[in-house]
Amino acid sequence: MTTPALSVRDLRVRYGGDGGREALKGVSFDLEPGRALGVVGESGSGKSTLALSLLRLHGSAAEVEGEILAGGVDVLAASGEELRRLRGGRIAMVFQDPLSSLDPYLRVGDQIAEVYRAHHSVTRREARAKAVEVLERVGIPVRRARAYPHEFSGGMRQRALIAMALALEPRVLVADEPTTALDVTVQARLLDLLNELRAETGMALLLVSHDFGVVARAADEILVMRDGQAVEQGPAASVLDDPSEPYTRELLAAVPRLDAPPAERSGRGDEVLMEVSELRRDFVSGPPLRRETLHAVDGVTFDVRRGETLGVVGESGSGKSTLARMLVRLLEPTSGRIEFAGQDLGALGERRLRAVRRDLQMVFQDPVASLNPRRTVGESIADPLRVLGEAEPVKAARDLMERVGLDPGRYDAYPHEFSGGQRQRVGIARALAPKPRLLVCDEPVTSLDVTTQAQVLALLAELQEDLDLTLVFVSHDLAVVRQVSDRVAVMRQGKVVELADAGEVYASPRHEYTKELLSAAPVPASPG
């Protein structure tokens, strides 16, 4: 029999001593060379704790029991020197956020070379040659080795992290949510790359994700986790097509699907609430004598009808978020016209614009970054109410918290005390405080697990019906956009290349780019 590349037996991790939280409760599995194990589950299920434990990165505060064997080496009993050789050489890890994992002051090629030299007695020239070799292997041109992390796109940064891991030729690659923030085409290329590397090198892959579509595309076996336990484990086809556990079926039922019909909504009408004409936004960069102009939004024209949800999809860099910020006047257009409720927003002075802003609100992608960590969530919701002259802002804020499914008794809690889904609900409550007519949602469910995602989407649909809201929903997830949208605008390189009813776009796409996006979207079912 083949010796497993990784063997885990009865792994238990507890934080906070005997009275603390048990993050892992006896997890066991084997991972064979060249095989891929997908670990899925909701936030708090223990997925990331499991991934970190494999390299003993769970922190000194954790109490760990069980056994982790990597090529015969007992990870939990390894000395400091053995652990240093094991990390990277035997097991390498690719983290969810590549920007925070790369040194912003060092060129990407130099960072990879430095890691290689730390494990091998080689010259700087040999290390740089190795860095170039692995960057080429993951599809990054040689000339980009001298670029800094901020000069790479999200997909390229993730590839650079994979290249850094590959430089040491690990037997096991642990990838923790490596595709969460990537659009579907970049995501597809990254997953294909991981599959190619497994076939070429015999490397084993442990892929942590909340996205069943991603796991279906890359994993041979699936481990479903809940509350620190493995509730189901088996071949990918069996788990995806015929799950034995009710919890797995519940997760799969919550996954948005491209072939699902959109929800019926009664509020959509023909009245045009917002009209956008030839909207353009340019960004100029570079030294004075070598100025470069990026047309982030390039001549976009569309309308938004009262009560509808207009979905906006496209790859990273297509101009989606730039467009979203211009719609609520957080970013000034270079040229073009935005008309809201019959008023030209570009012609309004500051006082009149302030009054209109009540009707135009935004829900941001990252609720952590958009909430003040030093203020309670209740105060963050109450602040706009005070500005608007609400007589009882605290009571109104508590009512809003209850309206979006939060406990009003947690008015005095801080953002870090809430889960990701709860923080997104706080962001929605704050956006609803001025009683807007149009809500722009910029990637509001991107980093949420499927059940939390389903809850937030259901909340938005309910609020739209009850409050007569109009939504512009920006996302790179085509299945999510299919679920919530009446019409869909597809963006590419700053332009809208297709705009039609959602059913028409998904059933009979006209533009080749739309077809490419749909074909690249991961499907939560076995390939067979």
Side-chain angles (χ1 to χ4, degrees):
M1 293 181 64
T2 305
T3 302
L6 185 67
S7 182
V8 176
R9 290 288 177 272
D10 196 28
L11 184 61
R12 298 174 182 273
V13 177
R14 179 185 293 276
Y15 295 99
D18 291 339
R21 179 176 64 90
E22 195 171 12
L24 290 181
K25 306 171 184 177
V27 175
S28 300
F29 64 86
D30 287 327
L31 181 56
E32 306 294 333
R35 304 283 287 176
L37 173 67
V39 181
V40 297
E42 298 175 283
S43 298
S45 63
K47 306 188 303 295
S48 292
T49 297
L50 172 61
L52 293 171
S53 298
L54 300 178
L55 285 85
R56 255 173 63 187
L57 295 173
H58 40 59
S60 58
E63 297 177 4
V64 185
E65 298 177 3
E67 184 179 67
I68 303 173
L69 294 177
V73 177
D74 187 341
V75 176
L76 298 180
S79 65
E81 180 59 29
E82 288 175 326
L83 195 59
R84 190 189 71 82
R85 289 197 301 267
L86 181 139
R87 290 172 177 165
R90 175 68 61 173
I91 309 177
M93 188 161 184
V94 176
F95 295 92
Q96 178 175 348
D97 182 5
L99 196 57
S100 64
S101 304
L102 294 168
D103 190 325
Y105 295 102
L106 284 179
R107 302 179 194 276
V108 170
D110 291 341
Q111 295 188 54
I112 297 173
E114 184 179 301
V115 168
Y116 188 67
R117 291 191 73 208
H119 287 261
H120 296 83
S121 298
V122 295
T123 65
R124 291 183 182 277
R125 177 172 294 187
E126 289 171 329
R128 282 195 293 268
K130 183 67 175 181
V132 168
E133 175 192 327
V134 293
L135 283 171
E136 284 188 304
R137 194 171 191 178
V138 299
I140 296 177
V142 175
R143 59 184 175 81
R144 301 306 303 277
R146 294 186 57 78
Y148 290 93
H150 72 271
E151 297 178 289
F152 277 20
S153 67
M156 288 181 68
R157 283 195 290 265
Q158 200 62 276
R159 284 171 177 257
L161 273 189
I162 293 174
M164 186 179 293
L166 293 179
L168 302 179
E169 300 179 0
R171 305 296 175 83
V172 180
L173 181 65
V174 180
D176 186 12
E177 299 277 10
T179 64
T180 296
L182 304 181
D183 55 68
V184 289
T185 50
V186 176
Q187 182 183 82
R189 289 195 292 268
L190 189 61
L191 294 175
D192 289 344
L193 169 65
L194 290 174
N195 287 334
E196 289 168 11
L197 292 171
R198 287 198 294 123
E200 290 175 10
T201 67
M203 176 188 74
L205 172 67
L206 188 138
L207 176 64
V208 175
S209 179
H210 65 259
D211 190 329
F212 271 96
V214 168
V215 171
R217 185 163 185 150
D220 302 304
E221 295 188 12
I222 293 177
L223 173 69
V224 182
M225 294 191 64
R226 183 184 192 185
D227 296 330
Q229 295 178 302
V231 297
E232 184 164 358
Q233 183 176 358
S238 173
V239 174
L240 292 170
D241 298 339
D242 188 23
S244 60
E245 293 295 321
Y247 177 67
T248 308
R249 292 195 289 271
E250 180 185 328
L251 288 180
L252 286 167
V255 177
R257 296 177 180 270
L258 289 174
D259 56 357
E264 292 293 331
R265 278 179 291 275
S266 59
R268 181 184 177 187
D270 294 326
E271 177 190 343
V272 174
L273 183 63
M274 174 177 279
E275 189 168 4
V276 175
S277 305
E278 290 297 323
L279 199 63
R280 181 185 298 273
R281 174 67 196 204
D282 298 336
F283 292 98
V284 180
S285 62
L289 298 180
R290 288 187 296 169
R291 293 288 189 191
E292 294 184 359
T293 300
L294 170 66
H295 303 300
V297 174
D298 190 5
V300 166
T301 297
F302 62 86
D303 59 38
V304 185
R305 300 164 192 171
R306 178 180 170 182
E308 80 165 336
T309 297
L310 175 68
V312 181
V313 298
E315 295 176 290
S316 298
S318 62
K320 306 187 304 295
S321 292
T322 301
L323 174 64
R325 282 161 173 73
M326 284 195 289
L327 295 183
V328 295
R329 283 292 298 271
L330 291 179
L331 192 63
E332 294 296 324
T334 303
S335 62
R337 179 185 176 94
I338 303 174
E339 197 171 283
F340 177 76
Q343 300 183 81
D344 181 358
L345 296 185
L348 298 181
E350 186 60 35
R351 181 175 297 179
R352 291 178 62 195
L353 181 61
R354 190 179 301 120
V356 173
R357 282 191 189 280
R358 297 183 57 169
D359 291 328
L360 290 169
Q361 292 294 311
M362 189 164 184
V363 177
F364 296 91
Q365 176 177 351
D366 184 359
V368 178
S370 60
L371 292 171
N372 188 336
R374 298 179 183 275
R375 295 182 68 78
T376 68
V377 296
E379 288 300 299
S380 292
I381 297 170
D383 280 347
L385 294 166
R386 290 192 179 94
V387 172
L388 295 171
E390 175 70 37
E392 298 182 81
V394 174
K395 181 182 182 303
R398 290 181 186 275
D399 290 344
L400 276 171
M401 290 180 68
E402 187 173 12
R403 185 72 184 80
V404 300
L406 293 171
D407 179 4
R410 301 191 70 188
Y411 180 96
D412 292 321
Y414 290 88
H416 72 271
E417 299 178 77
F418 288 80
S419 68
Q422 288 174 327
R423 284 193 291 260
Q424 197 59 279
R425 289 171 184 263
V426 173
I428 293 171
R430 186 177 61 174
L432 291 176
K435 300 179 181 178
R437 298 173 66 187
L438 187 144
L439 197 61
V440 178
C441 303
D442 187 15
E443 300 275 11
V445 297
T446 295
S447 58
L448 305 180
D449 57 67
V450 288
T451 50
T452 306
Q453 183 183 84
Q455 291 165 6
V456 172
L457 294 177
L459 171 64
L460 286 171
E462 179 186 336
L463 292 170
Q464 184 174 24
E465 291 285 340
D466 293 350
L467 305 178
D468 192 24
L469 277 174
T470 302
L471 300 182
V472 174
F473 192 96
V474 177
S475 179
H476 66 260
D477 190 324
L478 290 118
V480 168
V481 171
R482 174 75 175 102
Q483 180 176 325
V484 303
S485 302
D486 298 294
R487 291 187 299 150
V488 175
V490 182
M491 291 192 69
R492 185 186 191 189
Q493 296 177 353
K495 298 179 182 293
V496 172
V497 297
E498 186 160 357
L499 174 60
D501 285 348
E504 183 180 338
V505 169
Y506 284 81
S508 304
R510 298 178 181 178
H511 199 278
E512 287 301 318
Y513 176 67
T514 309
K515 296 175 184 177
E516 181 185 338
L517 287 179
L518 290 170
S519 65
V523 178
S526 62

